[in-house]
Amino acid sequence: MPKDCVAITGGASGIGLASAAACVARGWKVAVCDRDIRALAAAETRLGDRATYTAVDVTDETAVEAWIEAAAGQGRLIGCVTSAGRGADVPALQTGADLFRAIHEVNVLGTFLAAKAAARVMQDTGGGSIVTIASVSGVRGSKGRVAYGSSKAAVINMTQVLAVDLAHKGIRVNAVCPGPVETPMVAEIHDQATRDHWLRHVPMRRYGTVDEIASLVAFLLDETQSSFVTGQAIAADGGFAGAGLTSLQG
Ligand code: NAD
């Protein structure tokens, strides 16, 4: 019997790669796509033949559709995770149209294209679960995130709309909103001052790990765990998004 399969965009690094590993651990076949060919090769070294690895830019509709079709050929497509994303911490008045457009194209359009391609397959194969990776920056107005934060807010609303449009087809759609998580993207964007700033505002006073995000992703993918959960934006953020005044201790 063919295995259940999960397609993961941006699956060669960070949260996407950890999600791929969590899916493999549950016995699911994984189809990873990413635009970074070197990262794809490194992911293959880690996960081996329990996954497939395809170079795709998520803003290319034809390429995304071909990749999802190939993924569905490996087994029943039960899940799709949209982790490909681009970040920026740039003051609003220094954010040019090119940067704004580029971030929205990957984070918003790229998420939509993958979710739509996956849902088109799932509607004919008994349903499934789509998990978008949004951000706490999509629910709070943090500095420097006029492009990134607005793109993630769009992902959250898109998730809600897709959940409504696809519920009757047996497809659940949920967003995970990570707080700061140690990944290659964060290593590039967060300098020490930014790290200190985050730690002052996260009640748990630490960054999350990719595995802490991946376990929530796997829960939302798993029909035996989350079958009545759809249209939600769930934060895994050490308390950041829910916080008011934080403790003076620690
Ligand atoms: P990462 O850089 O480790 O992984 C992102 C992956 O997406 C990379 O491998 C990159 O090559 C790929 N990618 C980027 N643009 C692409 C495109 N056009 N087509 C295909 N692949 C593309 O970063 P990460 O921190 O793991 O981020 C994963 C997701 O989590 C992103 O959507 C990010 O916005 C979100 N997020 C991260 C954090 C954090 O603190 N790390 C917090 C909130 C949300």
Side-chain angles (χ1 to χ4, degrees):
M1 197 165 112
K3 278 194 164 185
D4 291 341
C5 178
V6 176
I8 304 181
T9 74
S13 178
I15 290 166
L17 178 57
S19 299
C23 290
V24 161
R26 278 164 179 74
W28 298 326
K29 184 88 185 169
V30 175
V32 163
C33 89
D34 205 289
R35 72 171 173 192
D36 182 336
I37 290 167
R38 266 196 287 184
L40 281 169
E44 184 164 10
T45 303
R46 177 167 164 193
L47 299 177
D49 64 6
R50 294 169 296 178
T52 58
Y53 311 86
T54 311
V56 172
D57 185 323
V58 290
T59 65
D60 178 341
E61 184 168 21
T62 308
V64 169
E65 285 176 355
W67 165 66
I68 288 287
E69 203 173 305
Q74 296 177 39
R76 189 171 84 86
L77 188 69
I78 60 151
C80 177
V81 181
T82 62
S83 191
R86 186 169 160 186
D89 183 352
V90 180
L93 302 188
Q94 289 163 32
T95 298
D98 284 351
L99 177 64
F100 193 94
R101 211 175 270 127
I103 286 183
H104 274 250
E105 196 171 6
V106 176
N107 295 0
V108 185
L109 179 65
T111 296
F112 174 60
L113 294 178
K116 183 175 73 163
R120 280 192 167 154
V121 170
M122 289 171 176
Q123 69 176 348
D124 297 328
T125 54
S129 170
I130 296 169
V131 180
T132 61
I133 307 298
S135 171
V136 289
S137 295
V139 290
R140 309 292 290 184
S142 289
K143 70 160 194 73
R145 283 156 172 81
V146 71
Y148 182 72
S150 61
S151 77
K152 293 300 188 177
V155 169
I156 291 169
N157 183 256
M158 186 197 309
T159 301
Q160 295 166 331
V161 173
L162 289 173
V164 169
D165 276 3
L166 300 174
H168 69 286
K169 296 176 185 295
I171 300 168
R172 298 181 297 110
V173 192
N174 292 285
V176 168
C177 300
V181 177
E182 298 289 3
T183 67
M185 180 192 284
V186 155
E188 197 182 310
I189 296 172
H190 291 204
D191 58 16
Q192 194 54 49
T194 303
R195 284 177 175 275
D196 293 344
H197 202 163
W198 271 109
L199 295 179
R200 280 199 299 277
H201 287 88
V202 173
M204 288 179 75
R205 305 280 186 242
R206 67 174 177 86
Y207 278 37
T209 68
V210 288
D211 292 336
E212 288 175 313
I213 307 303
S215 59
L216 177 55
V217 170
F219 167 79
L220 291 169
L221 287 171
D222 191 339
E223 189 66 15
T224 70
Q225 301 288 306
S226 56
S227 52
F228 202 46
V229 182
T230 196
Q232 299 302 303
I234 303 173
D237 66 348
F240 172 80
L245 290 176
T246 57
S247 170
L248 292 174
Q249 280 115 39

